[in-house]
């Protein structure tokens, strides 16, 4: 039974990847930080099937201890400070976790268990002010946020350890991927949750920033499969993962509101406070290499994804309302 170590297992990507690897017959160990109030909500249904180990990307000895104890066949580094706006407020923390943290994990693997295969979660935000359309593995990076800059470092240090030490280390340059488990502060979930609240009479408006910003949005369940496929190849290579389609925030609103029979123009308010200091106007993947070499392609469309998320938020809120009514006098 192969063993996989996942950092960031309590996040959106980590929870879907853990499910996928369990289906493939893996033993799964998740790295979690020591906390007095841990949030295991995304993996609560998996806690009897996985093992959790304490460690932190800011602490090399803890990483070395975990790698030594479990000697994983595969390591998936999904832990990060992943919210772009927060990286402007906490640039040093973002750098320590997203950049130097990758180096610490690679160094732990190099010193303790260099045969482990390593996956680094890179991001389309590295392209930032894009130099060409669409973006592929050869497109130059021009990040437009501390988050994007930190991820460029993490990407290139992974390449450096691969080339310098012969590690099987790859980066997946994943474009935006969403799901019902997405955090509420991300725009897709902010919209779908806002739609559910408005439909149920809990709100009467939704405040957003740049409606014309375009992203290549896909379903997280599809993308974790691509992560795994990268580590099954004979040679380590980096891959761009995306749908090859770009949609605007305005289109996102149209699909989400129309799913519940509403017109987004009656509820969406553009608020300047949600604009970024340096805006990324469009990101669009060229996933042709992944399709050719990995045999990967998305199975869930943009429209299916947004409707799935709206339905999940409606269900959550309806259940919450039902529980509240039971306790009312």
């Amino acid at each position: 039974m192969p063993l996989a170590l996942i950092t960031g297992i309590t996040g959106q990507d980590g929870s879907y990847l853990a499910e996928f690897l369990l289906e493939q017959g893996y033993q799964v160990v998740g790295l979690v930080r020591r906390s007095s109030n841990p949030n295991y909500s995304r993996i609560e249904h998996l806690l009897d099937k996985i093992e959790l180990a304490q460690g932190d990307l800011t602490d090399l000895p803890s990483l070395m201890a975990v790698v030594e104890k479990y000697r994983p066949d595969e390591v998936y580094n999904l832990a990060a400070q992943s919210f772009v706006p927060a990286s402007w407020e906490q640039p040093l923390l973002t750098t320590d976790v997203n950049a130097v943290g990758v180096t610490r994990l690679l160094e732990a693997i190099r010193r303790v268990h260099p045969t482990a295969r390593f996956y680094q979660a890179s991001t389309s935000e590295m392209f930032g002010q894009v130099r060409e359309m669409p973006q592929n593995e050869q497109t130059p990076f021009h990040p437009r946020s501390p988050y994007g800059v930190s991820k460029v470092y993490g990407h290139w240090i992974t390449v450096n350890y691969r080339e310098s030490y012969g590690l099987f280390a790859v980066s997946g340059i994943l474009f935006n991927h969403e799901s019902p488990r997405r955090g509420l502060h991300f725009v897709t979930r902010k919209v779908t949750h806002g739609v559910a609240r408005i439909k149920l009479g809990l709100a009467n408006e939704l405040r957003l920033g740049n409606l014309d910003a375009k992203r290549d949005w896909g379903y997280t369940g599809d993308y974790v499969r691509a992560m795994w496929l990268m580590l099954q190849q004979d040679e380590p290579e980096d891959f761009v993962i995306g749908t090859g389609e770009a949609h605007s925030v305005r289109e996102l609103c149209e699909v989400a509101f129309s799913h519940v029979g509403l017109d987004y123009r009656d509820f969406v308010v553009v608020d300047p406070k949600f604009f970024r200091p340096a805006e990324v106007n469009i990101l669009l993947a060229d996933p042709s290499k992944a399709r050719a070499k990995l045999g990967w392609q998305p199975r869930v469309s943009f429209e299916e994804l947004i409707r799935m998320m709206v339905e999940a938020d409606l269900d959550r809120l309806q259940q919450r309302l039902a529980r509240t009514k039971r306790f009312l006098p």
Side-chain angles (χ1 to χ4, degrees):
M1 180 182 293
L3 189 148
L5 173 65
I6 303 173
T7 74
I9 195 169
T10 60
Q12 170 191 249
D13 292 15
S15 65
Y16 278 95
L17 179 61
E19 287 175 345
F20 176 83
L21 292 176
L22 287 170
E23 291 172 359
Q24 306 307 310
Y26 279 67
Q27 180 181 353
V28 175
V29 176
L31 188 77
V32 294
R33 289 176 294 169
R34 185 183 297 274
S35 172
S36 59
N37 187 28
N39 181 5
Y40 296 154
S41 59
R42 293 186 179 94
I43 58 169
E44 191 172 5
H45 61 298
L46 301 176
L47 289 176
D48 62 339
K49 302 174 184 176
I50 64 177
E51 187 170 346
L52 299 181
Q54 290 188 342
D56 197 310
L57 289 184
T58 64
D59 179 46
L60 176 60
S62 72
L63 298 177
M64 292 180 65
V66 170
V67 173
E68 175 64 48
K69 178 178 180 179
Y70 294 100
R71 305 188 72 80
D73 299 285
E74 298 171 3
V75 177
Y76 295 86
N77 184 36
L78 309 184
Q81 191 300 100
S82 60
F83 188 43
V84 175
S87 73
W88 292 102
E89 300 168 4
Q90 297 179 304
L92 299 181
L93 173 65
T94 300
T95 301
D96 196 25
V97 175
N98 296 4
V100 186
V102 182
T103 312
R104 293 188 187 100
L105 186 51
L106 284 164
E107 188 64 9
I109 292 169
R110 183 186 75 85
R111 293 187 190 184
V112 176
H113 187 46
T115 59
R117 295 192 168 201
F118 176 79
Y119 172 86
Q120 165 61 14
S122 288
T123 170
S124 58
E125 288 287 333
M126 300 189 305
F127 295 123
Q129 186 171 317
V130 296
R131 309 287 184 88
E132 62 185 15
M133 292 290 295
Q135 296 89 57
N136 60 32
E137 292 81 5
Q138 306 305 318
T139 301
F141 300 137
H142 188 152
R144 299 270 281 172
S145 66
Y147 170 76
V149 172
S150 70
K151 281 294 194 173
V152 169
Y153 178 102
H155 178 88
W156 281 115
I157 200 66
T158 301
V159 172
N160 191 261
Y161 269 66
R162 177 171 74 217
E163 295 178 348
S164 300
Y165 300 118
L167 298 184
F168 194 107
V170 305
S171 288
I173 307 174
L174 271 57
F175 281 63
N176 295 64
H177 44 287
E178 318 296 322
S179 76
R181 298 177 196 168
R182 192 57 139 155
L184 284 169
H185 47 289
F186 290 89
V187 68
T188 47
R189 183 77 194 290
K190 182 178 180 180
V191 168
T192 62
H193 185 258
V195 166
R197 283 177 53 81
I198 290 170
K199 181 64 177 178
L200 296 175
L202 301 173
N204 54 25
E205 69 175 22
L206 175 62
R207 290 185 171 268
L208 298 171
N210 183 7
L211 299 186
D212 296 317
K214 292 186 175 182
R215 293 292 184 272
D216 186 327
W217 276 301
Y219 173 50
T220 301
D222 287 336
Y223 286 47
V224 297
R225 179 165 39 90
M227 299 176 189
W228 175 75
L229 285 169
M230 290 181 214
L231 294 192
Q232 311 314 308
Q233 303 305 297
D234 293 332
E235 299 294 332
E237 293 184 69
D238 304 327
F239 289 87
V240 161
I241 303 296
T243 69
E245 299 178 4
H247 299 273
S248 67
V249 177
R250 192 182 308 277
E251 290 176 80
L252 163 63
C253 292
E254 288 175 349
V255 173
F257 276 92
S258 65
H259 182 61
V260 295
L262 300 175
D263 188 333
Y264 82 96
R265 291 170 294 188
D266 295 331
F267 303 98
V268 171
V269 177
V270 175
D271 189 333
K273 79 175 184 180
F274 293 117
F275 281 71
R276 295 184 184 181
E279 190 64 63
V280 175
N281 293 315
I282 182 169
L283 294 171
L284 175 62
D286 173 7
S288 54
K289 179 182 175 183
R291 294 185 179 186
K293 289 198 169 186
L294 301 179
W296 177 89
Q297 59 183 359
R299 296 170 179 170
V300 177
S301 71
F302 171 73
E303 291 80 9
E304 289 171 333
L305 167 64
I306 301 308
R307 291 168 189 150
M308 174 202 308
M309 293 175 67
V310 171
E311 286 296 327
D313 278 318
L314 280 170
D315 185 58
R316 284 192 193 98
L317 288 173
Q318 287 169 336
Q319 289 185 31
R320 192 178 305 164
L321 288 171
R323 287 195 298 270
T324 302
K325 288 179 181 178
R326 285 202 301 268
F327 291 104
L328 289 176

